[in-house]
Amino acid sequence: MPDIAVYNGEFTTLDQAKAPVNDRAFVFGDGIYEVVKVLHGKFFGLELHLDRLYRSAEGIELALPWDRTAIAALLKEIYVRSGYRSALVYMQLSRGVHPRQHYFPPENTVPAVAAWATEFAGSPPALHAEGVSAVTVPDERWAKCWIKSLNLLPNCMARNVARRAGAYEAILVDRDGLVNECSASNVFAVMNGVVRTAPRSRNILRGISRHVAIECALAAGIPLGEQAFSVPEMLAADEVFLTSTSPDVLGIVRVDGVKIGAGKPGPVTMRLLKLFRHYQQTGEYQHG
Ligand code: PDD
């Protein structure tokens, strides 16, 4: 079954989808995006994704001529047309199609919308059981990482450093040696029973999974602090894990070749994964 895409209202198979080269997404990466998960017909965190989409749009001064209902309807339509039961729906909104000029095109230029859905088979249980490795990479992105911008070149380059090293993720470290997040996920460390993650700031994307994991911990009474940590603190932590839309909560068991804790996903990580999945299935946080 071919994947289905839409570009400015035209539905095609993904491999047939075409966009004009003057789309500012193509020329400048001038746009924003979201990746939304649908599990057995149910969109996960849709309202949170829509909140972030509008926040990102505002962050790049992109006025969206569509309300949340219209955006949600398009996400749903691409999902339904895909025929998949569980899917990842990608949507990007650019500043539209206009001859190349750096300053913004006229205000009546309509944003260009591209979206497609791919099948989501779920992340393999073995991945969660064994955990993954990561490497640290200097965070060389811009100063507005809270915007889910299409400009992902530094993220791609960092991720490729990880890939070359045989690692799953790149952990991005600021100039002061503090851990921000990963190339496409947020990162947490468990130290003396306290779960820590970088606070909300312009240096990180406010991941939907980060938000849900934090709410899960708070509801269950797991001590948590949105407090930055350094690379040495992370290497000495009992557990490290990441959060993102496709794996939810995933243990990191090796960083820069150094074994974290016992070298396998720890009890807090596994508990949070369970709590996360419970919330995902029921919409209820489990209180502990
Ligand atoms: N990436 N941080 C960055 C830099 C990200 O790109 C992502 C997600 C996250 C996690 O956000 P969420 O929990 O909402 O998925 C954190 C998506 C999945 C991507 O680029 O494909």
Side-chain angles (χ1 to χ4, degrees):
M1 189 163 59
D3 291 338
I4 302 296
V6 60
Y7 181 77
N8 283 351
E10 194 176 325
F11 288 87
T12 57
T13 57
L14 181 57
D15 59 354
Q16 292 295 314
K18 300 238 180 326
V21 290
N22 271 342
D23 183 328
R24 287 179 65 99
F26 183 67
V27 183
F28 295 118
D30 182 2
I32 53 171
Y33 76 104
E34 281 294 325
V35 181
V36 190
K37 182 167 57 184
V38 191
L39 288 171
H40 310 293
K42 237 172 60 188
F43 275 74
F44 180 66
L46 181 58
E47 296 304 320
L48 295 170
H49 281 284
L50 292 173
D51 289 347
R52 188 170 65 187
L53 184 74
Y54 280 88
R55 239 182 2 252
S56 295
E58 210 183 318
I60 68 160
E61 299 177 48
L62 174 65
L64 296 181
W66 307 288
D67 63 12
R68 293 168 71 99
T69 314
I71 300 273
L74 182 59
L75 286 166
K76 282 179 187 157
E77 181 164 11
I78 196 83
Y79 162 71
V80 168
R81 284 188 188 231
S82 79
Y84 296 130
R85 185 133 171 74
S86 295
L88 289 176
V89 183
Y90 174 87
M91 176 186 267
Q92 71 171 47
L93 296 147
S94 85
R95 209 177 300 275
V97 178
H98 196 266
R100 185 175 185 276
Q101 63 180 28
H102 286 69
Y103 55 88
F104 295 171
E107 267 175 23
N108 59 359
T109 309
V110 182
V113 186
W116 54 85
T118 51
E119 187 166 28
F120 180 64
S123 45
L127 192 73
H128 289 277
E130 285 162 24
V132 296
S133 62
V135 292
T136 55
V137 176
D139 193 347
E140 290 170 339
R141 299 173 300 163
W142 70 333
K144 293 184 182 183
C145 296
W146 57 275
I147 297 172
K148 206 159 169 56
S149 148
L150 292 176
N151 284 276
L152 290 175
L153 182 56
N155 304 60
C156 293
M157 291 183 79
R159 187 62 167 266
N160 205 54
V161 170
R163 177 87 180 171
R164 280 202 191 118
Y168 179 91
E169 248 298 17
I171 299 173
L172 304 175
V173 179
D174 76 11
R175 287 182 187 179
D176 298 322
L178 295 176
V179 171
N180 282 333
E181 60 174 334
C182 299
S183 74
S185 53
N186 293 105
V187 65
F188 294 68
V190 185
M191 299 165 191
N192 303 318
V194 180
V195 179
R196 277 170 62 181
T197 192
R200 287 196 235 170
S201 76
R202 51 200 291 143
N203 301 330
I204 68 161
L205 183 78
R206 281 161 60 181
I208 307 305
S209 324
R210 174 187 182 276
H211 170 81
V212 171
I214 289 174
E215 292 299 316
C216 285
L218 294 178
I222 300 171
L224 181 137
E226 290 185 56
Q227 194 190 355
F229 50 85
S230 66
V231 173
E233 283 180 303
M234 173 172 65
L235 296 180
D238 303 313
E239 302 177 35
V240 175
F241 63 88
L242 62 80
T243 59
S244 96
T245 287
S246 92
D248 302 330
V249 174
L250 178 61
I252 296 178
V253 296
R254 205 167 265 279
V255 178
D256 292 341
V258 175
K259 196 160 82 171
I260 304 298
K264 59 184 183 88
V268 178
T269 304
M270 294 317 268
R271 185 167 171 219
L272 272 171
L273 174 63
K274 216 168 143 196
L275 292 165
F276 194 108
R277 295 271 163 92
H278 176 85
Y279 175 74
Q280 204 157 246
Q281 278 156 19
T282 64
E284 305 274 338
Y285 289 110
Q286 250 176 352
H287 293 271

